[in-house]
Amino acid sequence: MTETALAELQAAPVAGQDQQNLVEVRNLVKYFPVRSGVLQHVAAWVQAVDDVSFFVRKGETLGLVGESGCGKTTVGRTILRLIEPTSGSAKFEGQEIFTLRGRELKAMRRNMQIIFQDPYSSLDPRMPIGESVGEGLRIHRIGTAQERHQIVMDVLRKVGLEEYHARRYPHEFSGGQRQRIGIARALALRPKFIVADEPVSALDVSIQSQVLNILKDLQAEFDLTYLFIAHNMSVVEHVSDRVSVMYLGKMVEVADRIELFANPLHPYTQALMSAIPIPDPRVRKQRILLPGDVPSPVNPPGGCRFHPRCPVAVAHCAVQEPPFREVSPDHWVGCWRVG
């Protein structure tokens, strides 16, 4: 790779280089319309994400966990402007993301990439994977054709693939290999921030460990920052520096990984922790079984959204939503029962 191409990859028109927080999200809201009738009038709104705030420090991995349908993926895709927000603010290195348009938005996206949960459906089946990995380089006009080819070969080797793989098509690869291709494609532009949307949930356990180790090695080598979306608490414990817990479109707890797993305060977090298997048949763990099903995001319950299933809920929980507050240094909880 020439010095000119490398300089173009490292350049980014963003502000706030001295800020500790790489990404800051405040009061993020995303509602999806439910349409009905011949004229497709809006009959209701799916409250996928409702007033979510968090930050991601430079160089760290923030794990985002919760049940399926709680809004994790919507948060990640909204931050990247793959879907437009209803309201709220998201800043990257101090620059507002949601107000960017045209060339400014295109330039910002060089620093913000995503690893999809299902890389096969996001790959063009008629395009060799070398062209798929290098597509972003062509769009952003990085280097010459020869320089782009060299960059693609470099990132393929970084994720454990060989140069000859670049000429093959997606259907010729296993699930683990396709996920490596997805990682290579996200890495090609040398981004600073990557949203990893359940990157190992569809893989065998042995392949999961390989992919997770690749992500950690790349983070150390390229100084990457991850928003790691998952529902497997064991995986989140392995890769995260801090952990955020979501329930039905709301953030219920955020804390340092060690603190959260040693001292979960929100009843929902405690229930998730109780489901983590212990690899010792002599140890019996008390499961917290939550009654009922997750309420519909079209018509969420009033007050605390978790109160219909909460084992420690009181009458006040159904009346007023608890504030999301810091109960100890860097440990935030939204629960009336936590003092």
Side-chain angles (χ1 to χ4, degrees):
M1 188 188 312
T2 66
E3 293 183 0
T4 302
L6 182 61
E8 288 181 359
L9 278 173
Q10 293 174 341
V14 291
Q17 300 289 341
D18 58 342
Q19 292 187 1
Q20 183 184 18
N21 297 337
L22 187 70
V23 176
E24 296 182 0
V25 178
R26 297 183 184 276
N27 309 115
L28 179 62
V29 175
K30 178 58 184 178
Y31 290 178
F32 294 96
V34 178
R35 301 183 184 277
S36 64
V38 177
L39 299 179
Q40 292 292 289
H41 292 299
V42 176
W45 293 91
V46 177
Q47 302 178 30
V49 179
D50 194 5
D51 197 19
V52 165
S53 300
F54 64 92
F55 61 86
V56 188
R57 297 188 179 108
K58 188 178 186 302
E60 78 168 357
T61 299
L62 176 66
L64 184 58
V65 300
E67 292 174 286
S68 297
C70 71
K72 307 184 300 296
T73 295
T74 303
V75 167
R77 296 193 177 198
T78 305
I79 293 173
L80 300 182
R81 294 281 298 277
L82 296 180
I83 54 179
E84 293 297 322
T86 301
S87 64
S89 169
K91 293 182 179 180
F92 179 83
E93 292 187 321
Q95 185 174 7
E96 178 61 50
I97 299 170
F98 294 160
T99 59
L100 297 178
R101 296 290 185 272
R103 292 182 179 180
E104 291 182 336
L105 178 59
K106 180 180 177 180
M108 176 68 76
R109 281 178 167 158
R110 290 173 55 179
N111 281 321
M112 304 173 68
Q113 294 292 307
I114 184 171
I115 301 170
F116 292 99
Q117 179 178 359
D118 181 11
Y120 186 74
S121 63
S122 65
L123 294 172
D124 188 338
R126 298 166 296 181
M127 182 183 292
I129 64 104
E131 293 185 23
S132 292
V133 172
E135 189 172 17
L137 298 171
R138 294 193 304 273
I139 292 173
H140 290 277
R141 299 179 181 179
I142 302 297
T144 64
Q146 184 177 358
E147 291 169 346
R148 291 195 293 267
H149 174 77
Q150 186 59 49
I151 293 171
V152 170
M153 296 301 107
D154 288 343
V155 296
L156 288 178
R157 285 193 293 267
K158 292 291 185 185
V159 299
L161 297 174
E162 301 295 336
E163 292 188 11
Y164 65 84
H165 286 136
R167 299 185 296 272
R168 295 185 176 179
Y169 291 84
H171 71 273
E172 300 180 74
F173 294 92
S174 66
Q177 288 175 318
R178 287 198 293 266
Q179 195 58 276
R180 292 169 189 251
I181 296 167
I183 295 172
R185 187 171 58 174
L187 191 66
L189 287 171
R190 297 294 192 270
K192 297 179 180 179
F193 177 63
I194 293 180
V195 174
D197 186 9
E198 303 203 34
V200 298
S201 62
L203 305 179
D204 293 336
V205 175
S206 59
I207 306 300
Q208 285 185 14
S209 61
Q210 296 176 18
V211 173
L212 291 175
N213 288 334
I214 287 174
L215 290 173
K216 291 178 73 71
D217 292 342
L218 293 173
Q219 183 177 32
E221 182 174 354
F222 295 105
D223 194 24
L224 296 173
T225 302
Y226 292 137
L227 175 63
F228 191 92
I229 299 171
H231 59 262
N232 188 324
M233 296 295 289
S234 299
V235 170
V236 170
E237 183 180 16
H238 177 68
V239 302
S240 301
D241 298 298
R242 291 187 304 121
V243 180
S244 300
V245 183
M246 281 190 70
Y247 180 81
L248 201 61
K250 292 280 189 180
M251 202 73 77
V252 298
E253 188 165 5
V254 180
D256 175 79
R257 170 180 57 86
I258 296 175
E259 167 70 12
L260 186 78
F261 280 83
N263 184 33
L265 298 179
H266 197 280
Y268 178 63
T269 309
Q270 294 170 358
L272 293 179
M273 297 293 186
S274 73
I276 300 176
I278 298 177
D280 188 344
R282 295 168 298 179
V283 177
R284 290 188 173 273
K285 195 170 187 179
Q286 185 66 37
R287 283 289 309 275
I288 301 176
L289 300 178
L290 300 177
D293 297 322
V294 179
S296 171
V298 176
N299 186 26
C304 174
R305 293 192 174 185
F306 185 60
H307 85 266
R309 306 176 70 198
C310 182
V312 296
V314 295
H316 188 63
C317 297
V319 177
Q320 187 174 359
E321 181 180 345
F324 194 64
R325 53 199 173 89
E326 189 174 24
V327 297
S328 62
D330 211 17
H331 194 156
W332 297 73
V333 183
C335 180
W336 289 116
R337 299 299 300 271
V338 178

